[in-house]
Amino acid sequence: MERKPLEFTPILMPYADLLPSFLNNQMVVVSPKKVYQSPFPRWYNPNTTCAFHGGVPRHSIEQCVAFKHKVQSLIDA
Ligand SMILES: [Zn+2]
């Protein structure tokens, strides 16, 4: 089935609240990313961290496309 890449099923709770239960059930694994140094890429937000990406400064988990894709694939499954 074709799926447009940036459409996600609305979920009823913050993504930040989903992650701990997914981790407990081993449905996802945290994938740490490298920590950038200034000058930062334009998309990079050094003031917020993403637990799914190892808690490094980068983006908030609510903006984490990788985690949303993971959640979506679990919803679809
Ligand atoms: Zn992330």
Side-chain angles (χ1 to χ4, degrees), residues 14-24 28 30 50-52 61 67:
Y15 282 93
D17 290 353
L18 280 177
L19 182 64
S21 56
F22 281 7
L23 290 174
N24 285 341
V28 300
V30 169
C50 175
F52 181 61
I61 195 165
F67 185 54

Side-chain angles (χ1 to χ4, degrees), residues 6-48:
L6 285 175
E7 282 187 9
F8 300 105
T9 304
I11 58 166
L12 300 175
M13 58 196 296
Y15 282 93
D17 290 353
L18 280 177
L19 182 64
S21 56
F22 281 7
L23 290 174
N24 285 341
N25 292 309
Q26 299 179 336
M27 294 159 78
V28 300
V29 289
V30 169
S31 46
K33 296 287 187 186
K34 75 171 184 168
V35 177
Y36 281 79
Q37 303 296 327
S38 182
F40 302 115
R42 199 160 44 86
W43 50 265
Y44 186 91
N45 184 346
N47 299 313
T48 186

Side-chain angles (χ1 to χ4, degrees), residues 31 33 49-54 58-61 63-67:
S31 46
K33 296 287 187 186
T49 61
C50 175
F52 181 61
H53 282 129
R58 180 173 205 95
H59 51 234
S60 107
I61 195 165
Q63 261 90 55
C64 184
V65 173
F67 185 54

